[in-house]
Amino acid sequence: MVAAIRPAGPGDGEPLGRMGAALARQHHDFDGDRFMVSDGIEEGYRRWLLKEAESTEAVVVVAELDGQVVGYGYGRLEGKDWNRLLDRHGELVDLWVEPQARKAGVGAALVEDVARRLFERGAPRLVLSTSSKNHTAQRLFTRLGFRPTMLEMTREAPGPPPAPTSPRRPPGAR
Ligand SMILES: CC(C)(COP(=O)(O)OP(=O)(O)OC[C@H]1O[C@@H](n2cnc3c(N)ncnc32)[C@H](O)[C@@H]1OP(=O)(O)O)[C@@H](O)C(=O)NCCC(=O)NCCS
């Protein structure tokens, strides 16, 4: 059965919170120093994604299969950024498909839907970052026409870790 993709609404808070937290934890498992998580990230993601779903600058869509939400995609319009040498663009921020619904085209459908909505809102291109360890996602994005353009590298400070700085997004959000 083909998943239906639709904009997220107020009733999607629970699955959005759960899936956003799972995505954050997956990244923390990839590299616990680089990818932060904290307690209660389900609630942080629930609130943040529902708020973003209301924004004209953002797109939050869910995939529904047999009446169940089995995935979500989140992207937003971003302005010119000289630090990144990146003109205004759409950013694909989050993508998650529940394990039992994978390898059936849901991930591809979510990416295409977010891309279409951001292009319709004027984004001239779509940019994303993916963990260097996430080969599954990289295969999907390559298949969908994304080309590699940047490689992020990270080095830890010597000695004990400094006090955490306050995040721009809610705790744990990627
Ligand atoms: C990455 C992720 C979103 C992919 O979702 P998905 O729904 O499995 O994606 P798709 O089904 O569109 O494609 C995945 C694979 O299934 C294959 N596939 C798609 N439909 C298929 C079908 N009907 N029969 C058999 N295989 C199929 C695709 O060809 C693709 O194969 P590949 O891995 O060899 O490239 C999913 O694995 C996930 O949520 N992972 C955890 C979160 C994550 O890593 N997110 C990305 C963060 S950057």
Side-chain angles (χ1 to χ4, degrees):
M1 195 176 168
V2 180
I5 314 294
R6 60 165 174 80
D12 297 315
E14 189 279 327
L16 285 175
R18 178 168 39 76
M19 293 187 291
L23 181 60
R25 292 201 179 96
Q26 178 200 42
H27 282 76
H28 189 72
D29 290 345
F30 282 145
D31 185 330
D33 292 320
R34 162 60 181 84
F35 295 103
M36 63 185 180
V37 286
S38 70
D39 293 338
I41 49 174
E42 279 81 0
E43 177 57 16
Y45 268 98
R46 187 188 70 75
R47 271 191 282 112
W48 176 256
L49 291 170
L50 287 182
K51 185 167 169 235
E52 285 289 86
E54 300 283 309
S55 167
T56 54
E57 300 292 296
V59 167
V60 183
V61 295
V62 296
E64 209 170 45
L65 201 56
D66 296 329
Q68 298 288 318
V69 171
V70 295
Y72 82 103
Y74 163 43
R76 66 183 345 276
L77 297 171
E78 299 289 352
K80 188 181 294 220
D81 183 342
W82 275 101
N83 285 347
R84 296 172 74 192
L85 296 179
L86 187 51
D87 209 339
R88 69 190 177 85
H89 63 284
E91 187 99 24
L92 180 64
V93 186
D94 289 355
L95 177 69
W96 177 268
V97 176
E98 296 283 49
Q100 74 278 8
R102 289 179 189 169
K103 296 204 171 286
V106 177
L110 282 165
V111 173
E112 293 296 2
D113 197 89
V114 171
R116 179 180 58 79
R117 290 173 194 274
L118 290 173
F119 292 154
E120 281 173 3
R121 291 189 201 183
R125 68 190 51 81
L126 193 55
V127 176
L128 63 84
S129 298
T130 178
S131 163
S132 58
K133 295 190 178 166
N134 197 346
H135 304 295
T136 305
Q138 289 164 26
R139 261 198 324 275
L140 171 69
F141 297 136
T142 301
R143 184 162 51 86
L144 296 180
F146 290 82
R147 63 187 187 276
T149 39
M150 276 293 276
L151 173 65
E152 180 189 277
M153 299 177 78
T154 303
R155 174 180 164 181
E156 300 305 315
T165 54
S166 45
R168 191 168 61 87
R169 290 176 51 190
R174 204 168 53 84

